[in-house]
Amino acid sequence: RAAERPKLTVLPFLMLALVRAIRDQPALNAHFDDEAELIRAFSAVHIGIATQTEGGLMVPVIRHCERRSIWDAAAELARVAEAARTGTASRDELTGSTITISSLGPLGAIATTPIINHPEVAILGVNRMEIRPRWDGAGFVPRKMMNLSSSFDHRVVDGWDAALFVKRLKTLLETPALIFVEM
């Protein structure tokens, strides 16, 4: 990467894959108002990133991920996460997410159950990457793999739609070039 480019981790790829998967399952990019029993769907994808800080877990928001490049997503992720960690994040930077990513992989988790960031209706949990044996038809080969976990508000998201969403994410992440192909 060029010196002026941000560090490119797996999270910006996940963010853009999430945007692509939401195109197919837009009901997951929504809020549910319990009291009014109203679903509010969004066309803009504002991804919250659960971030551990000295004061506890905060969720800074990367707005309009549907308009961002991989590098722009990485830069904005670094900026808002740093603002949350240093306590300089504004209220606007910590509110308004439409779906959240929680990354517990750094803690060593290989399977988690992420808790939905209310009033959102879906959350994606990212678990630890590790080398695992994978059968290729002739033998076992080492392959870097990770598990994703997700939770959905079943009052809004049908189980079939949730399964299609997870399947689409899996396809996009296993073939990352698809994230960048416009259809």
Side-chain angles (χ1 to χ4, degrees):
R1 72 179 165 95
E4 69 276 1
R5 297 275 183 151
K7 181 179 178 186
L8 199 55
T9 65
V10 72
L11 280 176
F13 287 93
L14 282 165
M15 291 164 60
L16 295 187
L18 198 59
V19 167
R20 294 300 290 251
I22 285 171
R23 286 182 191 168
D24 297 335
Q25 299 294 328
L28 278 70
N29 192 46
H31 286 176
F32 181 64
D33 181 334
D34 295 313
E35 289 182 22
E37 294 187 359
L38 239 135
I39 300 167
R40 182 172 176 210
F42 299 96
S43 56
V45 182
H46 303 315
I47 299 177
I49 302 292
T51 304
Q52 187 60 42
T53 71
E54 285 185 18
L57 195 63
M58 300 183 98
V59 184
V61 180
I62 296 88
R63 297 187 186 288
H64 292 287
C65 292
E66 76 282 1
R67 298 181 191 162
R68 295 185 184 273
S69 70
I70 192 80
W71 294 107
D72 187 36
E76 184 64 0
L77 170 62
R79 188 191 72 74
V80 297
E82 182 62 19
R85 286 188 195 100
T86 60
T88 60
S90 70
R91 178 174 169 77
D92 283 345
E93 292 171 322
L94 296 172
T95 59
S97 58
T98 59
I99 192 165
T100 295
I101 296 174
S102 180
S103 181
L104 295 172
L107 296 176
I110 59 168
T112 57
T113 304
I115 300 168
I116 297 171
N117 185 19
H118 182 78
E120 295 169 19
V121 300
I123 187 169
L124 179 67
V126 182
N127 298 291
R128 180 181 66 201
M129 259 192 235
E130 63 183 10
I131 303 294
R132 298 181 194 161
R134 177 77 177 183
W135 182 257
D136 70 357
F140 287 99
V141 294
R143 186 166 175 202
K144 189 178 270 192
M145 299 174 73
M146 74 175 181
N147 291 328
L148 294 177
S149 302
S150 50
S151 296
F152 304 94
D153 186 335
H154 208 302
R155 297 171 298 175
V156 177
V157 180
D158 182 78
W160 180 259
D161 293 329
L164 289 175
F165 177 76
V166 171
K167 181 181 178 190
R168 178 73 170 135
L169 274 175
K170 178 183 182 291
T171 299
L172 289 165
L173 294 171
E174 288 180 344
T175 315
L178 293 175
I179 296 170
F180 306 101
V181 175
E182 288 299 321
M183 298 173 130

